[in-house]
Amino acid sequence: MIVDLQDVVVRHPRSSFQMAIPSVQIDAGEFVAVGGPSGTGKSTLLDVCAGMIAATSGKVEVLDLDLRKRRARRVVRRRGTYLVQRGSVVEYLTALENIVVAGEIAGIRRDIPAARAALETVGLLDQAASRVSNMSGGQRQRVAMASAVYRRSPLVWADEPTSALDAANSDLVLAGLRDLAHQAGAAVMCVTHDTVRAEAFADRLLVIRDGSVVEDLRRTDPSMTTQAPPTHEGVLR
């Protein structure tokens, strides 16, 4: 088990919002989409699991580390990969440089052939020398995914990674997240407003309203889409 939450409460000091999660567990190789209306706690749940913020109370264990401890939260942030809307990349660096630098920050010795191989897995080897500032939104996200492959990240958190993308690129990014789970063995959590599209790729859908998980749907549940997960060439090869 990669993520284990029990009786978790998060209160924000400057608002009346409260998130209460009785129990959520996420395994390695699982792609979990997190949906629900705006302002209900989706990103808060992601940030708690990523060690970005501390829970007010309850058990938060990630990678068998107790995230009540500040040092444990630092370790989890270092080992995981966090994807944001524009891609977790440095604009003025090339695609290859982004991967190598992210690895060095995580304590990985520079390995150019491995970094190029990671770019090849997402179909961007021909863009290795291109600056990220010149890339599309979908390409940026794929560079960030290549970084996760290079670093062998056991966790990937994605906060609305497709919100600025068209349908075709959204599908490519979601397929890449699915492949990071199914092929690379990462535990993947993805916050999204587009739950219909995410259901086609995810193994589970957590629906959050008013700070609580009101549904935990799995692909075998009749209420989750019966559509088979689409396949895309050139996402993770």
Side-chain angles (χ1 to χ4, degrees):
M1 187 180 301
I2 301 295
V3 175
D4 185 12
L5 308 183
Q6 298 285 343
D7 300 320
V8 171
V9 174
V10 180
R11 297 187 183 94
H12 287 279
R14 289 183 291 274
S15 76
S16 59
F17 175 80
Q18 174 175 299
M19 186 182 74
I21 306 294
S23 179
V24 169
Q25 290 78 38
I26 300 174
D27 292 323
E30 193 171 24
F31 177 17
V32 179
V34 182
S38 297
T40 59
K42 301 186 302 295
S43 294
T44 298
L45 174 61
L46 199 73
D47 287 346
V48 167
C49 295
M52 304 296 288
I53 60 175
T56 306
S57 62
K59 171 187 174 182
V60 181
E61 286 191 1
V62 179
L63 297 175
D64 294 323
L65 296 171
D66 183 353
L67 296 200
R68 290 175 297 182
K69 301 174 182 177
R70 186 173 298 177
R71 181 179 180 183
R73 295 197 298 274
R74 286 199 302 266
V75 170
V76 166
R77 291 196 299 268
R78 185 177 179 184
R79 294 189 62 190
T81 296
Y82 203 116
L83 307 181
V84 294
Q85 292 180 13
R86 292 283 291 169
S88 301
V89 290
V90 180
E91 296 270 339
Y92 60 83
L93 296 180
T94 67
L96 185 65
E97 289 168 345
N98 262 278
I99 292 171
V100 171
V101 168
E104 290 176 340
I105 291 172
I108 297 172
R109 182 177 297 177
R110 179 176 293 232
D111 186 340
I112 298 300
R116 290 178 61 84
L119 277 173
E120 187 172 19
T121 66
V122 298
L124 288 180
L125 182 57
D126 60 338
Q127 299 294 319
S130 299
R131 289 189 183 276
V132 169
S133 58
N134 297 324
M135 292 184 172
S136 68
Q139 288 175 321
R140 290 166 182 252
Q141 294 291 17
R142 288 158 67 191
V143 170
M145 290 179 200
S147 175
V149 172
Y150 175 70
R151 296 168 57 213
R152 299 182 181 88
S153 294
L155 307 107
V156 176
W157 309 281
D159 195 355
E160 298 284 0
T162 63
S163 62
L165 304 181
D166 59 22
N169 278 303
S170 292
D171 285 350
L172 279 172
V173 168
L174 290 169
L177 292 174
R178 177 199 62 202
D179 291 351
L180 282 171
H182 295 181
Q183 296 183 29
V188 177
M189 296 180 68
C190 175
V191 166
T192 181
H193 281 93
D194 192 352
T195 54
V196 173
R197 174 166 271 109
E199 282 183 17
F201 295 87
D203 302 306
R204 289 168 64 190
L205 172 65
L206 298 179
V207 180
I208 298 184
R209 293 194 184 93
D210 299 324
S212 299
V213 175
V214 296
E215 291 183 282
D216 184 354
L217 305 176
R218 298 175 185 269
R219 181 156 296 283
T220 54
D221 293 337
S223 53
M224 195 165 174
T225 181
T226 57
Q227 177 182 343
T231 57
H232 289 266
E233 296 293 334
V235 181
L236 288 195
R237 298 174 178 173

